[in-house]
């Protein structure tokens, strides 16, 4: 697997550098291309090259709120329909996928558009040759996607959900390429897997609007969300994004154009941003190649999976009557960064496995019926009279052991050391991104550990009404935000 990763990442870097070298001939300005094809670009916009993100949009002068920035005709947006019209061979790929159930399961919804981009990116031909040449010449942000990292850089993600996501993404990319080559074997001699990864990465990270399309010029606007003043719940998060969005994108079917407008006033020399939504850093990094530093402590989006080996559960007495049900070798329990809700469910899961009660008694007295479906949702309520205080303490210890085991799988230092690495200006960008991913998960584990510790203290000092001890469990012991 490591050798395969090395071969792929090396090939992608080499083929991309080669493409850029070939693009040193005059590349027409993408904004000029828009106006030449019936669109409009505000004369108060300029494109600036950045060492970090490739290109950025800036204002030349002050702009008022609601100012029109770009209008892009539908025929200048690269959609699947336009790709199918221009390249007849894509119809063959489309029919192959439609008629092959295995192929349908292996490919993403963007496979046709990615194939078009792969075929056209280096050819210099086609209706979108200028746009694709422009993308090829300014590849910096795309190269930050983690499947284009080196093996050493990827090792900094060891033990995280992101590395799992990267491995899944790489498997999907390889499977998709195989489907494309099986459907269109004439492409095998012209394109290698590195070409496919570059093309698919461009498409997946640049899709905007409805239907999802590549929108030249508009996709120059980078993502930015200001740091909120307080914790964003899921509902507040959506409102927050709407309130702070600097721009808006509207597809006007009456005029046949996309309108890109400023939502608020912009000062001269200010960068123009477009919000990609509020998601976790796993999504930001694997889709766009960047991370947001405050996701872990100002949203509920950071997540960790606690892995429970089923083999370990088989040693527990209560498992024996019903563990003949076939389930996966590992059960995953999700914790998020607002873990006071999650932790109740995980304790209820642990309570089920920690009970010494007779199965028939639990069935009769506690409403627990035959357990089917997702094992992570198998739980026993604390109200069950067959749960003892000692068994409840055992359940809390079980949860604590899962937290410790999960943290031990991650590379890097403790939470404070990860914060220091992130804040150090000399930390390389990819290492900073990896440290941010690790910090997010370690922060969630730290919260959960504090909650379990609080629960154990409350249970230990509870009186005869000890079954209510969890009603007092809160995140009062957890710092909600930090200066980081």
């Amino acid at each position: 697997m490591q050798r395969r990763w090395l071969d792929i990442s090396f090939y992608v870097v080499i083929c991309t550098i080669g493409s850029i070298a070939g693009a040193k001939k005059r590349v027409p300005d993408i904004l000029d291309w828009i106006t030449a094809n019936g669109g409009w670009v505000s004369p108060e916009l300029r494109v600036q090259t950045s060492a970090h993100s490739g290109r950025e949009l800036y204002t030349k002068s002050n702009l008022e709120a609601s100012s029109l920035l770009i209008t892009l005709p539908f025929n200048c947006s690269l959609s699947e329909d336009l790709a199918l019209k221009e390249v007849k061979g894509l119809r063959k790929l489309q029919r192959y996928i439609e008629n092959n159930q295995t192929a349908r399961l292996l490919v993403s919804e963007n496979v046709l558009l990615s194939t078009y981009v792969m075929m056209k990116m280096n050819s210099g031909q086609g209706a979108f040759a200028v746009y694709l040449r422009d993308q090829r010449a300014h590849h910096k942000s795309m190269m930050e996607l983690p499947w284009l990292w080196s093996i050493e850089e990827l090792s900094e993600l060891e033990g995280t959900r992101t590395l799992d996501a990267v491995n899944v993404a790489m498997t999907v990319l390889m499977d998709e390429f195989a489907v494309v080559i099986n459907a269109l074997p004439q492409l095998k001699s012209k394109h290698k897997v590195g070409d496919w990864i570059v093309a698919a990465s461009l498409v997946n990270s640049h899709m905007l609007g409805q239907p999802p399309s590549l929108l030249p010029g508009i996709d120059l606007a980078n993502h930015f969300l200001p740091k909120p003043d307080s914790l964003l719940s899921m509902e507040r998060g959506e409102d927050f994004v709407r309130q702070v969005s600097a721009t808006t994108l509207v597809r006007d079917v009456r005029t046949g154009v996309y309108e890109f407008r400023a939502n608020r006033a912009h000062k001269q020399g200010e960068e123009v941003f477009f919000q990609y939504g509020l998601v976790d850093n796993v999504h930001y990094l694997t889709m766009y190649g960047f991370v947001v530093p405050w996701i872990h402590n100002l949203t509920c989006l950071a997540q960790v999976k606690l892995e429970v080996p089923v083999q370990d559960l088989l040693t527990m007495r209560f498992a024996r009557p019903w563990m003949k049900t076939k389930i996966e070798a590992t059960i995953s329990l999700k914790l998020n960064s607002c873990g006071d809700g999650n932790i109740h469910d995980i304790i209820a899961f642990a309570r089920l496995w920690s009970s010494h009660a007779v199965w028939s008694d639990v069935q009769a007295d506690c409403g627990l019926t035959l357990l089917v479906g997702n094992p992570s949702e198998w739980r026993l309520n604390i109200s069950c009279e067959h749960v003892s205080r000692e068994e409840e303490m055992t359940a809390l210890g079980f949860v604590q052991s899962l937290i410790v085991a999960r943290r031990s799988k991650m590379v890097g230092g403790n939470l404070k050391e990860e914060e220091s690495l992130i804040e150090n200006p000399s930390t390389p960008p990819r290492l900073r991104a990896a440290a941010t991913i690790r910090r997010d998960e370690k922060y969630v584990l730290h919260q959960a550990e504090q909650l379990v510790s609080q629960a154990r203290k409350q249970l230990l000092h509870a009186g005869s009404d000890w079954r209510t001890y969890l009603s007092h469990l809160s995140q009062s012991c957890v710092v909600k935000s930090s200066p980081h």
Side-chain angles (χ1 to χ4, degrees):
M1 181 63 181
Q2 285 197 349
R3 181 70 235 177
R4 187 187 196 191
W5 264 106
L6 186 59
D7 290 343
I8 291 171
S9 58
F10 176 77
Y11 178 81
V12 172
V13 171
I14 294 302
C15 78
T16 306
I17 291 173
S19 298
I20 294 165
K24 288 297 183 181
K25 304 170 185 176
R26 168 103 174 25
V27 177
D29 186 277
I30 193 63
L31 301 185
D32 293 341
W33 178 82
I34 293 172
T35 57
N37 284 274
W40 182 85
V41 177
S42 169
E44 305 308 322
L45 284 183
R46 64 181 175 86
V47 179
Q48 177 173 306
T49 301
S50 164
H52 172 66
S53 59
R55 265 105 32 88
E56 300 162 346
L57 276 179
Y58 282 85
T59 60
K60 293 180 182 178
S61 62
N62 294 340
L63 289 177
E64 296 180 356
S66 300
S67 294
L68 185 60
L69 303 175
I70 296 174
T71 60
L72 186 72
F74 290 170
N75 65 339
C76 290
S77 64
L78 181 46
S79 64
E80 181 180 290
D81 286 344
L82 285 177
L84 285 167
K85 289 176 182 177
E86 183 176 331
V87 179
K88 303 303 181 185
L90 289 181
R91 294 286 182 188
K92 182 179 178 181
L93 173 59
Q94 187 182 46
R95 289 192 298 271
Y96 177 86
I97 294 171
E98 289 174 350
N99 297 326
N100 187 313
Q101 183 178 3
T102 300
R104 289 200 305 273
L105 295 173
L106 292 176
V107 301
S108 69
E109 61 182 356
N110 298 330
V111 64
L112 295 177
L113 198 51
S114 297
T115 304
Y116 173 92
V117 171
M118 181 180 72
M119 295 171 68
K120 295 294 185 178
M121 182 168 259
N122 295 321
S123 71
Q125 300 175 348
F128 291 87
V130 170
Y131 171 66
L132 295 177
R133 205 160 50 230
D134 180 78
Q135 289 292 332
R136 187 181 67 197
H138 300 91
H139 70 299
K140 177 65 179 177
S141 59
M142 190 170 63
M143 292 299 290
E144 296 308 315
L145 292 166
W147 42 84
L148 304 182
W149 293 11
S150 69
I151 293 297
E152 290 74 21
E153 290 166 335
L154 280 171
S155 68
E156 297 293 343
L157 295 172
E158 189 67 42
T160 66
R161 289 175 56 237
T162 298
L163 187 59
D164 294 338
V166 171
N167 287 329
V168 169
M170 275 303 302
T171 299
V172 171
L173 287 169
M174 300 292 284
D175 289 343
E176 282 187 328
F177 184 65
V179 169
V180 171
I181 294 303
N182 286 337
L184 304 173
Q186 69 273 20
L187 297 182
K188 186 174 183 179
S189 61
K190 300 177 182 178
H191 301 286
K192 305 300 181 186
V193 67
D195 299 321
W196 176 256
I197 292 173
V198 170
S201 297
L202 168 63
V203 171
N204 293 334
S205 63
H206 283 64
M207 295 288 270
L208 295 170
Q210 288 295 332
S213 307
L214 298 177
L215 305 183
I218 296 173
D219 62 10
L220 292 172
N222 290 319
H223 169 84
F224 175 74
L225 281 175
K227 183 177 179 179
D229 296 328
S230 59
L231 180 72
L232 297 177
S233 64
M234 296 304 293
E235 296 77 14
R236 279 200 64 227
E238 294 177 2
D239 292 338
F240 175 75
V241 171
R242 282 193 293 268
Q243 291 168 6
V244 303
S245 293
T247 56
T248 187
L249 178 65
V250 175
R251 187 177 189 267
D252 193 332
V253 294
R254 296 171 303 169
T255 59
V257 300
Y258 286 94
E259 288 191 354
F260 187 50
R261 289 184 178 273
N263 271 353
R264 58 168 176 78
H266 285 66
K267 295 180 179 180
Q268 179 182 0
E270 184 177 352
E271 185 173 358
V272 176
F273 292 107
F274 181 77
Q275 277 69 43
Y276 300 175
L278 182 62
V279 292
D280 68 358
N281 275 327
V282 177
H283 184 93
Y284 281 136
L285 185 61
T286 56
M287 285 298 294
Y288 308 115
F290 63 79
V291 292
V292 174
W294 47 261
I295 288 294
H296 67 297
N297 61 354
L298 288 173
T299 76
C300 300
L301 295 169
Q303 279 192 5
V304 171
K305 286 184 179 180
L306 299 181
E307 304 292 345
V308 186
V310 170
Q311 190 60 39
D312 290 354
L313 299 179
L314 290 173
T315 64
M316 307 179 86
R317 182 174 177 271
F318 194 63
R320 294 171 189 169
W322 50 271
M323 272 303 295
K324 295 177 182 178
T325 303
K326 185 177 180 181
I327 59 177
E328 297 294 328
T330 302
I331 299 173
S332 294
L333 307 173
K334 291 183 180 179
L335 266 175
N336 65 36
S337 46
C338 296
D340 49 350
N342 287 126
I343 203 70
H344 284 263
D345 292 338
I346 292 176
I347 292 172
F349 172 89
R351 185 181 301 123
L352 172 65
W353 300 92
S354 302
S355 173
H356 290 175
V358 176
W359 169 252
S360 57
D361 291 343
V362 175
Q363 279 185 302
D365 302 330
C366 302
L368 193 66
T369 56
L370 183 64
L371 298 171
V372 295
N374 185 351
S376 67
E377 298 176 359
W378 296 351
R379 298 163 190 155
L380 182 61
N381 292 329
I382 196 170
S383 59
C384 178
E385 63 185 72
H386 297 291
V387 176
S388 70
R389 187 196 295 244
E390 292 72 22
E391 290 165 351
E392 186 71 8
M393 191 65 78
T394 299
L396 293 175
F398 181 28
V399 176
Q400 173 68 21
S401 70
L402 295 178
I403 295 170
V404 171
R406 183 65 186 82
R407 186 171 51 225
S408 69
K409 294 181 179 180
M410 278 190 282
V411 297
N414 59 34
L415 189 57
K416 184 176 180 181
E417 289 167 339
E418 298 288 21
E419 292 282 11
S420 297
L421 190 60
I422 294 165
E423 292 179 349
N424 188 337
S426 64
T427 301
R430 291 182 180 178
L431 178 56
R432 179 176 291 107
T436 301
I437 292 291
R438 298 193 306 251
R439 184 276 313 278
D440 287 4
E441 295 197 19
K442 290 174 183 178
Y443 178 84
V444 175
L445 292 173
H446 176 67
Q447 278 191 312
E449 195 165 37
Q450 285 190 298
L451 288 167
V452 172
S453 176
Q454 181 189 18
R456 296 178 83 165
K457 289 177 182 177
Q458 290 178 181
L459 178 60
L460 186 64
H461 295 97
S464 58
D465 63 343
W466 66 268
R467 292 182 191 278
T468 66
Y469 84 102
L470 284 177
S471 63
H472 307 295
L473 185 64
S474 71
Q475 289 189 294
S476 59
C477 62
V478 179
V479 178
K480 279 289 192 182
S481 61
S482 69
H484 306 303

